[in-house]
Amino acid sequence: MRQTVAAGNWKMNKTPSEAKALIAELAPLVKDAKNKVIVCPTAVCLPAVVEAAKGTNILVGAQNMYFEDKGAYTGEISADMLLDLGVTHVILGHSERRQYFAETDETVNKKVLKALEKGLCPIICVGESLEQREQGITADLVRMQVKIALQNVSADQAKTVIIAYEPIWAIGTGKTATTQQAEEVCKTIRDCICELYSCDVAESVIIQYGGSVNAANSAELFAQANIDGGLVGGASLKAADFSVIANS
Ligand code: 13P
């Protein structure tokens, strides 16, 4: 049985003090959560959040990292730096990074390989734009994103990754994909992994849905056969809402 995972992508929100306060509010609400709980604050908030989450069941992820070990890469953060802090997960290839910061399927693949080599669990984001959905290429596009992200990833490593299906048109718009749309693409992703590796690997991979997940729709989404939780933006900034999602 796969574990359901509720991950909060805080994006560029919360100062370190605010982040600490949010963990203090959230921790008691999710202490018995059914789902694995991960929060992903900005890089500058990571030390405060790791500290605040100590002794709780909240795991901490980063929103990005670079694929080189170290060196002259101004502004970037390495896997070792994250690990040294106590970070366990890292979101890679979020559509906002692809759109505003020129991430490509190839850089996402390099980052996935580095994260796995170092022992960080990547949360790999894929998903189509509204235009691509209307062109009828959602399945092809998402399959391509998954295949490139997993180039040179071994079957044993592939079992451990988390993939988040996030249709771009559903992010921050309040326009959630229907349960059927979300389940259909998550199943497409699982079938793709079955073809790439084996159905055994595909059955192990956690596939989340993301895009306007909230306290009112999470239970139905997470109940789908191929949806193993959610990557949550806006609603993860409110302890009360995120705790409902974490318990869905
Ligand atoms: P929202 O939940 O705010 O739509 O954001 C989703 C998202 O991008 C999570 O990574």
Side-chain angles (χ1 to χ4, degrees), residues 49 56 91 109 120 129 205-206 213 223 234:
V49 169
T56 76
I91 298 172
N109 174 238
L120 277 169
S129 65
V205 173
I206 289 166
V213 173

Short mmCIF file of all heavy atoms in Angstrom, two decimals, residues 49 56 91 109 120 129 205-206 213 223 234:
data_model
loop_
_atom_site.label_atom_id
_atom_site.label_comp_id
_atom_site.label_asym_id
_atom_site.label_seq_id
_atom_site.Cartn_x
_atom_site.Cartn_y
_atom_site.Cartn_z
N VAL A 49 12.33 26.44 10.06
CA VAL A 49 11.25 25.45 9.95
C VAL A 49 11.74 24.07 10.39
O VAL A 49 11.04 23.35 11.10
CB VAL A 49 10.66 25.43 8.52
CG1 VAL A 49 9.74 24.25 8.30
CG2 VAL A 49 9.91 26.74 8.25
N THR A 56 8.27 16.66 15.81
CA THR A 56 6.91 16.53 15.26
C THR A 56 6.96 15.53 14.11
O THR A 56 8.03 15.04 13.75
CB THR A 56 6.38 17.88 14.71
OG1 THR A 56 7.01 18.14 13.45
CG2 THR A 56 6.65 19.03 15.66
N ILE A 91 11.22 19.89 -4.02
CA ILE A 91 10.34 20.05 -5.18
C ILE A 91 11.23 20.38 -6.37
O ILE A 91 12.09 21.26 -6.28
CB ILE A 91 9.32 21.20 -4.96
CG1 ILE A 91 8.41 20.90 -3.76
CG2 ILE A 91 8.49 21.43 -6.22
CD1 ILE A 91 7.50 22.08 -3.37
N ASN A 109 15.84 16.83 -14.98
CA ASN A 109 16.45 15.50 -14.93
C ASN A 109 17.78 15.53 -14.18
O ASN A 109 18.06 14.67 -13.33
CB ASN A 109 16.64 14.96 -16.35
CG ASN A 109 17.39 13.64 -16.39
OD1 ASN A 109 18.44 13.54 -17.03
ND2 ASN A 109 16.91 12.63 -15.70
N LEU A 120 18.09 12.76 -1.21
CA LEU A 120 16.93 13.64 -1.01
C LEU A 120 15.79 13.08 -1.86
O LEU A 120 16.04 12.63 -2.99
CB LEU A 120 17.23 15.04 -1.52
CG LEU A 120 17.97 16.01 -0.63
CD1 LEU A 120 18.39 17.23 -1.47
CD2 LEU A 120 17.11 16.48 0.53
N SER A 129 -0.35 23.15 -19.83
CA SER A 129 -1.02 24.46 -19.82
C SER A 129 -2.44 24.26 -20.36
O SER A 129 -2.76 23.21 -20.90
CB SER A 129 -0.26 25.44 -20.71
OG SER A 129 -0.31 24.99 -22.05
N VAL A 205 5.42 4.09 -6.76
CA VAL A 205 5.63 5.54 -6.89
C VAL A 205 4.42 6.32 -6.36
O VAL A 205 3.28 6.01 -6.70
CB VAL A 205 5.90 5.92 -8.37
CG1 VAL A 205 5.96 7.42 -8.55
CG2 VAL A 205 7.19 5.28 -8.84
N ILE A 206 4.72 7.32 -5.56
CA ILE A 206 3.65 8.18 -5.05
C ILE A 206 3.37 9.26 -6.09
O ILE A 206 4.29 9.96 -6.54
CB ILE A 206 4.06 8.80 -3.70
CG1 ILE A 206 4.06 7.70 -2.64
CG2 ILE A 206 3.13 9.94 -3.30
CD1 ILE A 206 4.75 8.07 -1.37
N VAL A 213 -5.95 22.57 -4.66
CA VAL A 213 -6.41 21.61 -3.65
C VAL A 213 -6.79 22.42 -2.41
O VAL A 213 -6.07 23.34 -2.01
CB VAL A 213 -5.30 20.59 -3.28
CG1 VAL A 213 -5.75 19.70 -2.12
CG2 VAL A 213 -4.94 19.72 -4.49
N ALA A 223 -9.00 10.12 -2.61
CA ALA A 223 -9.63 8.80 -2.56
C ALA A 223 -9.50 8.06 -3.89
O ALA A 223 -9.82 6.88 -3.98
CB ALA A 223 -11.11 8.94 -2.20
N GLY A 234 -1.71 27.56 -2.00
CA GLY A 234 -2.43 28.54 -1.14
C GLY A 234 -2.98 27.96 0.16
O GLY A 234 -2.77 28.55 1.23
#
